[in-house]
């Protein structure tokens, strides 16, 4: 967990919780004490909280509202320069994402803008996106590199994440995605670029301690399974756990590779098969579904959340926030898509932006629940029932957001 930003922090008593939603279950009439950024005690409405002498206790009375653990957005490309509104317009007239990429647009267009942007500009842009996320109750965000595709710019992007980690209340989890696509200077030389990623970029990033995970875009005409395997194995050797962009546009085997290498998650999965679901069901790998990207790319095939859940796979939902395939930082909206397009129940969708996410980042002990010892982060909805969140179609009203025991959004706070 991240250190306090503004010492000294006071203890916070959160009272009047009408419904506390955790891991698909609801407990009514709860109060809790957050001390030193963590849940220190939790009890019923009529129990007195064990405060200690001389402790300054701040009080947040939720007035019977519904509360969830801080939301986790586990797959984002939050740091980038420029935008791709022009490509979105072209796609609306029938030009495909792959065709735009093939002519040097797509990811490469954002690579050009991100290479040009200064570190300070990237921090400012990403901070604004993080502020909006926090206002909706998101208190932990995974952020990928992957718009640098050379050592200097990949390091620059990850330093931006580290700077925000130091100066923003949201906990950030950095992922190296040097194998996002082949940069223009390696055009036609995919193997040489993989070599560069494996021999130079991964060791340097790991040495700098700037990433926790290593990801790859395993896709037809990008990186095939053998190349993805090399990248992920090099990541494992350097201490970075694998994640995979798998079976987004075509089924080429990224899911099975992820399971085989013990990936913490495989992400996208619009094109997976029943066999892939079988592989996932027998593993600890989380299926991260990104319905914002499916929607934004105008795809007709949605990830089979129902079949995954029925097979016992842990499912997480995330925004995939990025300028090309999902220009959206609204995680609650993904629960609406989960229910309306993926066949999830509201409780399953809410679990997928809290607990499933914790698992997708290996943060089960501190996130996705509000037991003693968990991160002192929660979202107090301006509603008495958490089912309002998917129902209200992207228009979540946060009554308050608590981050590490600080009330950062809500009554008495300057608005973000
Ligand atoms: O997760 N699929 C690959 N990567 C991103 C898209 C990045 C982009 O288009 O800039 C994704 O959808
Ligand atoms: Fe992505």
């Amino acid at each position: 967990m991240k250190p306090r930003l503004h010492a000294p922090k006071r203890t916070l008593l959160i009272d009047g919780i009408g419904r506390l939603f955790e891991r698909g279950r609801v407990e009514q009439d709860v109060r809790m004490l957050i001390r030193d950024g963590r849940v220190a005690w939790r009890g019923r409405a009529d129990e007195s909280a064990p405060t200690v002498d001389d402790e300054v206790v701040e009080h947040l009375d939720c007035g019977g509202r519904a509360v969830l653990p801080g939301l986790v957005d586990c797959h984002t490309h939050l740091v980038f320069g420029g935008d791709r509104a022009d490509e979105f317009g072209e796609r609306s007239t029938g030009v495909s994402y792959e065709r735009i990429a093939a002519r040097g647009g797509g990811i490469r267009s954002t690579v050009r803008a991100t290479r040009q942007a200064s570190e300070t500009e990237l921090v400012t842009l990403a901070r604004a996106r993080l502020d909006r996320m926090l206002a909706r109750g998101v208190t932990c965000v995974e952020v990928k590199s992957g718009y640098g595709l050379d050592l200097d710019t990949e390091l620059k992007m990850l330093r931006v994440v580290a700077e925000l980690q130091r100066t923003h209340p949201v906990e950030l989890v950095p992922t190296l995605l040097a194998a996002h696509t082949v940069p223009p200077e390696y055009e036609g030389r995919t193997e040489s670029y993989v070599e560069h990623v494996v021999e130079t970029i991964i060791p340097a990033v790991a040495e700098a301690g700037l990433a926790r995970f290593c990801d790859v875009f395993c896709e037809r005409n990008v990186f095939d399974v053998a190349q993805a395997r090399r990248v992920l194995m090099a990541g494992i050797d350097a201490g970075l756990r694998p994640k995979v962009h798998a079976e987004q546009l075509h089924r080429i085997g990224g899911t099975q590779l992820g399971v085989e290498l013990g990936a913490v998650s495989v992400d996208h999965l619009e094109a997976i098969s029943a066999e892939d679901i079988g592989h996932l069901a027998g593993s600890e790998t989380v299926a991260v579904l990104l319905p914002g990207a499916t929607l934004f790319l105008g795809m007709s095939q949605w990830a089979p959340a129902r079949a995954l859940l029925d097979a016992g796979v842990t499912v997480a939902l995330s925004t995939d926030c990025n300028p090309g395939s999902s220009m959206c930082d609204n995680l609650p909206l993904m629960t609406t898509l989960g229910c309306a397009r993926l066949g999830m129940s509201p409780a399953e969708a809410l679990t997928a932006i809290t607990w499933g996410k914790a698992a997708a980042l290996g943060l089960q002990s501190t996130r996705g629940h509000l037991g003693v010892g968990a991160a002192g982060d929660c979202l107090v909805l301006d509603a008495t029932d958490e089912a309002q969140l998917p129902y209200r179609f992207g228009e979540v009203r946060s009554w308050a957001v608590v981050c590490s025991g600080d009330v950062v959004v809500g009554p008495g706070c300057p608005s973000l």
Side-chain angles (χ1 to χ4, degrees):
M1 197 180 311
K2 65 192 303 169
R4 296 164 167 197
L5 291 173
H6 314 287
K9 232 179 219 178
R10 285 164 300 189
T11 300
L12 178 69
L13 175 66
I14 308 181
D15 214 351
I17 300 174
R19 289 166 65 85
L20 178 59
F21 176 95
E22 283 171 318
R23 292 181 258 199
R25 300 182 48 196
V26 170
E27 193 177 324
Q28 293 185 319
D29 300 324
V30 178
R31 56 201 318 234
M32 67 178 65
L33 203 60
I34 298 177
R35 187 183 287 127
D36 296 328
R38 288 183 183 251
V39 178
W41 171 86
R42 174 166 149 183
R44 316 270 324 156
D46 54 2
E47 289 177 66
S48 61
T51 51
V52 293
D53 286 349
D54 301 334
E55 189 170 39
V56 181
V57 181
E58 199 183 334
H59 189 202
L60 180 70
D61 184 349
C62 299
R65 292 176 176 81
V67 170
L68 297 112
L71 311 183
V72 184
D73 199 340
C74 71
H75 179 139
T76 84
H77 307 251
L78 199 75
V79 176
F80 59 86
D83 83 9
R84 306 214 315 254
D86 50 348
E87 291 181 6
F88 179 71
E90 275 189 81
R91 283 208 307 278
S92 71
T93 65
V95 185
S96 75
Y97 183 72
E98 286 171 289
R99 177 181 284 228
I100 291 169
R103 63 148 204 246
I107 294 170
R108 283 186 181 183
S109 151
T110 303
V111 168
R112 285 189 289 277
T114 306
R115 285 178 177 179
Q116 272 165 26
S118 72
E119 212 160 311
T120 314
E121 280 163 355
L122 292 174
V123 167
T124 303
L125 290 167
R127 188 190 302 281
R129 296 172 194 130
L130 267 186
D131 286 347
R132 282 198 299 277
M133 288 177 156
L134 180 60
R136 295 193 181 98
V138 177
T139 60
C140 179
V141 177
E142 185 257 20
V143 185
K144 301 176 195 298
S145 67
Y147 292 126
L149 311 185
D150 60 35
L151 178 60
D152 285 352
T153 318
E154 290 292 304
L155 285 170
K156 177 173 78 174
M157 290 185 72
L158 292 167
R159 281 196 306 270
V160 168
V161 181
E163 169 64 13
L164 289 165
Q165 172 75 338
R166 276 191 294 275
T167 55
H168 198 283
V170 168
E171 178 173 5
L172 299 179
V173 178
T175 295
L176 174 64
L177 178 58
H180 197 186
T181 196
V182 177
E185 57 275 19
Y186 281 87
E187 177 69 48
R189 297 189 296 131
T190 305
E191 286 295 342
S192 305
Y193 183 60
V194 169
E195 185 80 17
H196 180 59
V197 170
V198 164
E199 297 294 332
T200 305
I201 301 184
I202 291 175
V205 166
E207 169 73 24
L210 285 170
R212 197 180 302 172
F213 297 103
C214 178
D215 199 343
V216 57
F217 187 18
C218 186
E219 180 59 62
R220 188 188 289 174
N221 298 326
V222 190
F223 298 103
D224 64 22
V225 170
Q227 291 159 344
R229 181 190 297 275
R230 276 191 75 192
V231 169
L232 297 177
M233 295 285 290
I236 292 170
D237 286 347
L240 308 178
R241 288 189 69 187
K243 279 179 165 279
V244 192
H245 280 69
E247 330 316 338
Q248 180 185 14
L249 307 171
H250 304 95
R251 178 173 183 258
I252 68 162
T255 303
Q256 196 175 345
L257 175 69
V259 169
E260 187 194 317
L261 297 183
V264 67
S265 71
V266 288
D267 305 36
H268 283 288
L269 311 185
E270 283 89 339
I272 60 169
S273 67
E275 196 187 327
D276 296 324
I277 295 174
H279 291 308
L280 279 170
S283 79
E284 292 296 311
T285 301
V286 176
V288 174
L289 308 183
L290 308 162
T294 322
L295 175 81
F296 202 70
L297 293 179
M299 293 167 66
S300 52
Q301 190 176 19
W302 297 78
R306 186 72 266 140
L308 286 160
L309 287 162
D310 290 346
V313 177
T314 299
V315 170
L317 288 167
S318 169
T319 58
D320 194 13
C321 175
N322 77 79
S325 67
S326 187
M327 189 57 157
C328 177
D329 49 37
N330 187 332
L331 183 60
L333 177 59
M334 300 307 138
T335 65
T336 308
L337 294 176
C339 295
R341 302 310 318 234
L342 306 185
M344 303 172 84
S345 70
E348 286 168 339
L350 292 168
T351 301
I353 59 167
T354 50
W355 170 250
K357 296 302 169 74
L361 295 173
L363 299 174
Q364 300 85 315
S365 60
T366 53
R367 299 208 169 265
H369 66 97
L370 287 165
V372 170
D377 293 6
C378 65
L379 163 60
V380 186
L381 290 175
D382 196 8
T384 53
D385 189 334
E386 68 285 350
Q388 292 288 316
L389 190 142
Y391 172 60
R392 284 183 182 273
F393 210 162
E395 192 218 318
V396 188
R397 293 163 307 155
S398 308
W399 184 76
V401 178
V402 175
C403 200
S404 277
D406 276 338
V407 184
V408 290
V409 175
C413 288
S415 65
L416 285 168

